Amino acid sequence: MKWLTERIRTTFWGYHAVMVKEWIEILNDKFTLGIVLLLPIVQMTIYGFGVSFDVRYVPTALLDLDHRAQSAILIDELLATDFFKIEKVAHSRAEAAQQIVAGRVRAAIIIPPDYSDKLQRGQQAQIQVLIDGSDSTVANALQNAGISVGQNRSIQILTQQADERLKQPVEVRTRLLFNEDARTTNFMLPGLVGFMAQTITLFLTVNSIVRERVSGTLEQLLLTPVRPLGLMIGKLIPNGVIGFTGANLLLLAMVLVFHVPIHGDLIFLEFCMLIFVFVSLSIGILISTTATSQEQAMHLASFVLIPSVLLSGFIFPRESMPFLLNWLGYLIPLTYFLQIQRGVILRGAGFTDLWEWVLPLAVFGFVLIYMSVKRFRKTVG
């Protein structure tokens, strides 16, 4: 019995010593502990408030050539559905369509000049709703909302007139400008190419520098005549080439395997992809100069990748997000690149249509590379 008691006591104190040691190590590494505890809270906040497949307040252009009471009533009923939000007022059909191509709006309501006249004469009046079909979920919701409003408005008119000769006074005709077959693949794959380009480049850069630091070879490299800036450039170029090549392989697979055609200028798309890879490399440098271990680096990378998936419009419509989360999406480089990539691939947009997205992405690149160079010199210098 004494032997058993001694064995239990020894085992207990052994477990206790290991447990105390583990607590000390965890509490001493406050950086990792903070990330581990903070990351789930960030994810829960984003999922709870920002993630939704509901389609609401879609940016819409309005071309009202009637400008009378009947058209005003119809517009109010369309807006009352909370699907449409007037962001632009067009002055021609071509301008309305161009706003969709440029990605400034995702739908356009076109009311002809004889809309009120036809209703007064007891004839059927048609309006047209042009829809960006790139995102099939949003497109289907807008189609259903537009047709439903036309039917409800027809019922109201027939009730007031008590005239059964005309079955549907108001007809809403919807037309998908792009992705007419409403293929989800056409919307998801261009976004996936951008996200994977960021992921590949980010992890390659982070692993490359953190691995050198953990193994101690980074200090050995600094003893050579190579300056910190030259060392950073030497690290960036190979990782950038691999990331850019991987993105193009995904782009090739998208076209050849999944039959998603590129409607715009391929050279312009490649130029923008090069800028985006440059931005991703800069983010990787910032992370690697902050983290002291590969575990910390992976957690920090998650802080970049998770918001990129949830807040950039990669999967979930940004229009449905609360104002704060929608605004935070503008701080994510992937948000801009997705707009560029989907604009070029799906809508055939060019620089004149997408410059509002290209310029901020380039600014991101210059700001981040400046910060990463400064941080890298401070860390290894």
Side-chain angles (χ1 to χ4, degrees):
M1 179 64 81
K2 184 178 180 181
W3 173 85
L4 181 60
T5 303
E6 187 66 24
R7 183 65 180 271
I8 293 174
R9 182 183 303 159
T10 303
T11 303
F12 171 77
W13 284 111
Y15 290 158
H16 180 268
V18 173
M19 183 177 65
V20 171
K21 173 181 176 297
E22 188 66 23
W23 273 114
I24 292 174
E25 291 181 353
I26 291 175
L27 294 177
N28 283 338
D29 191 0
K30 294 182 176 59
F31 186 81
T32 301
L33 180 62
I35 291 177
V36 170
L37 295 179
L38 184 60
L39 186 60
I41 296 175
V42 172
Q43 289 180 272
M44 178 66 72
T45 302
I46 295 176
Y47 273 107
F49 290 105
V51 172
S52 174
F53 284 106
D54 296 335
V55 179
R56 299 173 64 233
Y57 305 119
V58 177
T60 305
L62 173 64
L63 174 60
D64 184 4
L65 300 175
D66 186 81
H67 295 292
R68 282 179 279 182
Q70 289 290 347
S71 64
I73 293 173
L74 180 66
I75 293 169
D76 288 341
E77 293 189 359
L78 285 168
L79 297 180
T81 64
D82 289 341
F83 284 96
F84 301 93
K85 180 183 179 182
I86 304 301
E87 296 262 339
K88 303 288 183 180
V89 176
H91 299 90
S92 67
R93 183 181 296 267
E95 182 184 352
Q98 187 60 34
Q99 294 288 342
I100 298 177
V101 173
R104 298 185 184 95
V105 299
R106 304 180 76 170
I109 301 170
I110 301 175
I111 303 177
D114 58 351
Y115 174 77
S116 296
D117 293 334
K118 285 188 174 182
L119 291 180
Q120 291 175 357
R121 293 195 298 264
Q123 299 175 341
Q124 186 182 69
Q126 296 93 15
I127 73 164
Q128 188 174 45
V129 178
L130 303 178
I131 300 173
D132 179 2
S134 303
D135 187 345
S136 59
T137 301
V138 175
N140 290 333
L142 295 182
Q143 276 188 312
N144 294 333
I147 293 173
S148 177
V149 168
Q151 293 173 344
N152 292 335
R153 184 67 189 134
S154 295
I155 293 173
Q156 294 174 13
I157 293 174
L158 290 175
T159 301
Q160 295 171 358
Q161 295 179 351
D163 188 352
E164 298 181 356
R165 291 176 298 174
L166 190 61
K167 293 183 179 180
Q168 188 175 355
V170 178
E171 181 184 14
V172 176
R173 296 181 176 181
T174 61
R175 178 189 172 194
L176 299 184
L177 293 184
F178 319 103
N179 192 21
E180 291 84 358
D181 298 331
R183 294 179 63 205
T184 305
T185 305
N186 287 18
F187 177 76
M188 291 299 300
L189 289 186
L192 184 62
V193 171
F195 176 72
M196 292 306 298
Q198 175 180 271
T199 303
I200 293 170
T201 308
L202 189 64
F203 277 111
L204 281 174
T205 308
V206 169
N207 285 332
S208 175
I209 297 177
V210 174
R211 184 177 63 248
E212 296 276 10
R213 176 182 295 171
V214 173
S215 63
T217 56
L218 187 61
E219 289 76 9
Q220 297 176 12
L221 289 173
L222 291 173
L223 296 177
T224 66
V226 180
R227 305 291 295 174
L229 180 59
L231 177 60
M232 190 188 76
I233 294 175
K235 288 287 185 183
L236 287 181
I237 291 178
N239 294 327
V241 170
I242 294 175
F244 186 73
T245 303
N248 276 281
L249 290 175
L250 291 172
L251 203 64
L252 188 64
M254 180 192 74
V255 175
L256 298 181
V257 178
F258 297 97
H259 308 291
V260 180
I262 299 177
H263 292 94
D265 187 351
L266 182 60
I267 296 177
F268 172 62
L269 178 61
E270 293 288 341
F271 173 74
C272 294
M273 187 180 295
L274 194 61
I275 296 176
F276 182 65
V277 169
F278 179 71
V279 171
S280 300
L281 287 170
S282 303
I283 296 174
I285 291 289
L286 285 175
I287 292 175
S288 61
T289 54
T290 303
T292 57
S293 66
Q294 289 187 331
E295 290 77 11
Q296 287 186 1
M298 293 303 103
H299 286 305
L300 285 173
S302 298
F303 267 97
V304 176
L305 297 177
I306 292 176
S308 294
V309 172
L310 301 180
L311 301 181
S312 66
F314 172 40
I315 298 176
F316 308 101
R318 294 184 62 244
E319 296 85 2
S320 302
M321 297 179 185
F323 172 79
L324 178 60
L325 293 180
N326 196 326
W327 181 83
L328 288 176
Y330 289 107
L331 301 179
I332 299 173
L334 184 61
T335 300
Y336 299 90
F337 186 62
L338 289 184
Q339 291 289 338
I340 297 168
Q341 195 170 34
R342 285 170 174 162
V344 175
I345 293 175
L346 301 177
R347 303 192 301 271
F351 177 77
T352 55
D353 303 311
L354 300 173
W355 67 269
E356 297 175 1
W357 302 100
V358 177
L359 293 185
L361 184 63
V363 170
F364 261 111
F366 286 113
V367 172
L368 289 173
I369 198 62
Y370 172 77
M371 293 172 60
S372 61
V373 169
K374 189 175 181 179
R375 178 71 182 173
F376 190 82
R377 283 176 170 173
K378 181 179 179 181
T379 303
V380 305

